[in-house]
Amino acid sequence: MTHPAPPANPERRRLLRLGASVAAAALHAPGLTGQRPLRVRFSHVVSEDTPKGLVAQRLQALVLQRTEGRIDVEVYPDARLYGDRDEMEALHTGAIDMLAPSLSKFGRVGFPEFEVFDLPFLFDHLDAVHRVTQGAYGHRLLAGLHRLGLVGLGYFDNGFKHMSADRPLHEVADFRGLRVRVQGSRVIAAQMRALGARPVPLPFSATREALAKGIVQGTENPLSNFWTQGMHEVQPHLSLTRHGYLGYAVITSERFWSRLRPADRALLQTALSEAIAYGNRIAGAQQEKALTALRAWGGTTIHEPTARQRAELARVVEPVHAELGQRIGPDRIRELHRAIGA
Ligand code: LMR
């Protein structure tokens, strides 16, 4: 496959030229080889103006600046290189070096324990999510990625998900028979079935078109994804259900990571931690920005569920929690609740 050039800007080009000459001059220095900047190809499926897009760009800028162009994080947004179906494989084969799949996408590749983040109505606030991701529970999940030769580098937020459809979704009965695009998470599929809807797993990049063609009639996503994908143009109704969380884990392959010099690994990890902290600071504002844009656009009717309607949705999907407990062990669910409550 031919790889398109990543988005470029003049500062990036200047640093890359500088990096090439720094690398060339350092050819004789111990520990440095090669003339071209070290490329770190980072592929993702969402738009640039989203929490994930902005984290990736911040990482790119920090690394370019700190290495004076010697290391270049090339960012490929919008599933331009790989999508949900092939990005993990591309990481394994070394066709790309870094990904940030949503936590909902780890279950289908052998890590069902990540699906705890999909449990509906579990987190009231992002602070509760962070108590899990930044504590022992979250660290253990990332460490477990070793089973597939992956290295987990950190978590970050998109935000809370809402439901959209070709019809108003107020009551549980409104979901009956609705074909809803879902990510490949068994918890999310079970949640839709509990509501009487029909879950249809589809790659993110195919979602808007599937909505436009009526292959599916509804979907769930945080507002930043909903707006930047133009889903509002094909979804006349949006219900601010805030029923679940969407976040990401940044991953690389052990193969790639172990080939880096320890100092470069440390530099990348530090830059990523800073990019993630930045992403978590702006994620809320990205949702607000999308909501403002949606209201100004006016083509999608935005519904605010009442407390009663939301409580009823939560009651109906509650059995999904116990179902996941049966798959990953009730102890894990108890530990999760302890982490949230800590
Ligand atoms: C989705 O597939 O709906 C999301 O995971 C997309 C993303 O990466 O935010």
Side-chain angles (χ1 to χ4, degrees), residues 42 55 59 98 153-154 250 267-277:
F42 187 148
V55 165
L59 174 67
M98 224 176 248
L153 298 174
V250 182
L267 186 142
L268 278 167
Q269 178 71 73
T270 303
L272 180 65
S273 301
E274 289 174 33
I276 281 177

Side-chain angles (χ1 to χ4, degrees), residues 45-46 52 84 102 105 181 183 204 221 225 246 248:
V45 299
V46 294
K52 181 153 60 184
D84 289 336
S102 79
K105 290 177 185 161
R181 178 269 169 175
Q183 305 182 71
F204 184 67
N221 242 299
N225 279 351
L246 182 77
Y248 307 104

